[in-house]
Amino acid sequence: MSDSTIESTSEDDFRIEPPVINTPPVEDWTSDYDIFDADYITDPVPIWNDLRGQCPMAKTERWGGSWLPTRHEDLQALAKIVPELSSTDPLVVSARDDDRPEDDRAPEGLAAPPITADPPLHGWTRRMILPTFSPKAVATYRPYTEELCHQLIDGFIAEGRCDAAQQYAQQIPPRVIAHLLGIDPDKADDFTTWVRGVLEFGLYDNNIRVKYRDIIRDFLFAEVTDRVENPRDDKLTEYLALDIPEGVDRVRVVVGIANLLLIAGIDTTWSSIGSALFHFGSHPDDRRRLAADDSLFPTAIEEMLRYYSPVTMARVALEDVEYNGVTIKEGDKVLMNFPGANHDPEVFENPEQIQIDRERNRHIAFGSGIHRCAGSNLARLEMDVALRVWFERIPDFELADPNGITWAGGQVRGPRVLPMKFEAGQPR
């Protein structure tokens, strides 16, 4: 990386404004839940706890209809019902109009395999990317990530305040992924806008979703096509050289995998980093304890992942599925509520207590079954580096405006505005 300081990103750089949704209030969460309800977005934990004690799976007709399991045992079991519960469209619950335009689905091979694929496509595309995220490979990304985090902090530490979401958490995964793929890291801000356009604001407006999906597709096609003609020492070139089944469009597959790394590897991880900073900025005892004992970072990170799990994937039933007294009909959507499962008292002792030294922590924040997140090692490394560098440089911090925090809703949850204050320091 360059030795120059990365300039802080201002709110003016985020030009997509969150929409206002006016929907009837929820009267019965067991039969009419709403993942876009303000209470659900702000703090879904009490809702999950109530549902867990009332029904095996909640059902709603809102936003095209879906099922919502909350028990750890059920999520583990449902994740194994493959391919009857298909993964080909894992982001299917949105506050858009029920009539999705014909071009709202990317052409086959341009989605994000293996996460958007059932067997056999799932198997060989997953094998293509696993070496990228092995512990040994991920360890090589640490120096770049450490230098990146220091440069980000250099950009705002003298001010004594920052937006820890927009100026820090959201800046790390896009640059790491760009570095990994061999793409100009200066595209990071564009990546942020594009991904939010698809995963966040596109949930409310079809035009936004299609616009940014097409921007990502066209950009990645140009990058991959360039690697065909001008190979480089990067992952795009490496993927193009791998063995794939005969008759498969190699460029299309690599574009799809690059799309996966952008869509699945950016928003999810910055949400986890932001949620962790939110926690330590609002829980001074935990902050002081972690600042005084860096041996707690591994268990603290796992506890942040458990408590603030950001991702709720989805499945679509290809046929009627009978499960635990419930009939999931063909075409029904099932929200894979891994975050809710991570609060199940049958698995976690005192799940509503955040214990940064929790030893027994069988969370499924990265999913379960064949679609368990292939990039979990990278996500953990980014969280570890982001938090360690922050605590090294800014060990004493707190929320600047608890009422000014905003959270993204839908199937990826995390803070999007996170005002933080601390004693002003000096860039390195």
Side-chain angles (χ1 to χ4, degrees):
M1 290 188 64
S2 166
D3 291 333
S4 62
T5 298
I6 295 175
E7 293 296 326
S8 300
T9 303
S10 70
E11 289 188 30
D12 291 340
D13 292 320
F14 294 83
R15 297 183 177 88
I16 307 175
E17 293 298 326
V20 176
I21 305 177
N22 295 312
T23 57
V26 176
E27 300 292 340
D28 183 352
W29 283 89
T30 66
S31 60
D32 185 39
Y33 68 81
D34 185 356
I35 65 171
F36 295 99
D37 181 89
D39 289 340
Y40 192 93
I41 292 173
T42 302
D43 185 8
V45 174
I47 296 169
W48 295 332
N49 291 344
D50 287 344
L51 289 176
R52 198 177 296 112
Q54 295 186 56
C55 62
M57 291 200 292
K59 183 76 165 65
T60 189
E61 298 303 324
R62 297 186 189 228
W63 317 123
S66 58
W67 295 89
L68 184 71
T70 55
R71 298 190 304 209
H72 192 278
E73 178 182 4
D74 292 339
L75 267 299
Q76 292 273 41
L78 290 165
K80 297 175 183 177
I81 302 177
V82 178
E84 294 84 356
L85 295 181
S86 173
S87 300
T88 54
D89 198 1
L91 293 168
V92 294
V93 176
S94 68
R96 295 170 282 163
D97 293 335
D98 287 341
D99 294 328
R100 300 171 67 178
E102 287 297 322
D103 65 344
D104 190 41
R105 294 174 184 267
E108 184 179 356
L110 284 182
I115 202 171
T116 60
D118 294 326
L121 175 61
H122 168 270
W124 62 263
T125 53
R126 184 177 177 89
R127 287 192 293 274
M128 288 179 68
I129 66 172
L130 282 178
T132 301
F133 301 111
S134 69
K136 183 178 180 180
V138 164
T140 66
Y141 313 143
R142 181 175 286 271
Y144 175 89
T145 310
E146 288 176 342
E147 179 61 20
L148 167 61
C149 291
H150 278 294
Q151 289 192 22
L152 290 169
I153 291 174
D154 285 344
F156 56 72
I157 193 169
E159 301 298 322
R161 61 177 54 244
C162 72
D163 185 320
Q166 293 186 1
Q167 292 176 267
Y168 192 66
Q170 289 180 11
Q171 298 300 311
I172 298 166
R175 286 182 166 84
V176 172
I177 294 296
H179 173 72
L180 188 153
L181 292 177
I183 295 171
D184 182 358
D186 288 341
K187 295 295 293 183
D189 287 341
D190 288 335
F191 288 170
T192 298
T193 299
W194 299 350
V195 171
R196 292 186 75 185
V198 172
L199 293 184
E200 187 176 342
F201 301 106
L203 297 179
Y204 307 94
D205 188 317
N206 278 312
N207 292 325
I208 290 176
R209 176 181 168 84
V210 171
K211 172 185 175 180
Y212 286 98
R213 184 211 66 195
D214 290 350
I215 288 173
I216 292 172
R217 178 197 61 198
D218 294 345
F219 173 80
L220 292 177
F221 256 115
E223 289 288 326
V224 174
T225 301
D226 176 69
R227 299 310 190 280
V228 173
E229 301 170 355
N230 305 289
R232 304 181 195 174
D233 182 16
D234 60 25
K235 292 299 176 183
L236 292 180
T237 302
E238 181 181 315
Y239 294 149
L240 282 166
L242 294 176
D243 291 333
I244 64 172
E246 185 177 353
V248 174
D249 186 328
R250 185 178 300 272
V251 169
R252 189 177 291 263
V253 168
V254 175
V255 168
I257 288 175
N259 187 35
L260 165 70
L261 299 188
L262 283 184
I263 296 297
I266 290 181
D267 194 357
T268 55
T269 305
W270 84 43
S271 294
S272 294
I273 295 170
S275 294
L277 290 172
F278 162 79
H279 175 77
F280 291 111
S282 56
H283 293 76
D285 289 343
D286 282 346
R287 176 188 56 75
R288 285 189 288 265
R289 188 179 175 197
L290 186 59
D293 184 0
D294 63 6
S295 71
L296 289 171
F297 273 101
T299 55
I301 287 170
E302 296 307 311
E303 184 69 341
M304 295 299 103
L305 287 167
R306 180 193 72 83
Y307 194 91
Y308 296 103
S309 306
V311 183
T312 299
M313 301 303 289
R315 304 285 186 266
V316 178
L318 298 182
E319 58 186 64
D320 287 0
V321 173
E322 297 290 337
Y323 176 74
N324 200 21
V326 170
T327 300
I328 303 170
K329 295 183 178 180
E330 179 181 352
D332 280 1
K333 295 171 285 189
V334 180
L335 284 167
M336 302 301 287
N337 185 17
F338 301 121
N342 286 334
H343 289 261
D344 188 341
E346 293 295 318
V347 178
F348 303 96
E349 183 178 0
N350 300 318
E352 305 324 312
Q353 294 180 13
I354 296 177
Q355 302 171 15
I356 63 172
D357 60 352
R358 187 185 292 270
E359 293 292 341
R360 183 175 173 79
N361 195 346
R362 295 167 48 215
H363 70 74
I364 51 175
F366 293 110
S368 182
I370 67 170
H371 287 286
R372 186 184 182 280
C373 177
S376 60
N377 290 325
L378 179 60
R380 284 187 168 103
L381 176 130
E382 291 178 86
M383 284 190 71
D384 182 75
V385 172
L387 292 177
R388 286 180 186 270
V389 172
W390 180 284
F391 271 79
E392 174 189 337
R393 302 284 299 278
I394 309 173
D396 188 359
F397 59 96
E398 62 181 342
L399 299 180
D401 178 13
N403 295 322
I405 299 168
T406 63
W407 294 79
Q411 289 181 242
V412 182
R413 180 177 179 270
R416 293 297 177 266
V417 176
L418 186 57
M420 203 74 74
K421 62 182 180 180
F422 43 83
E423 184 176 351
Q426 294 296 319
R428 293 169 303 166

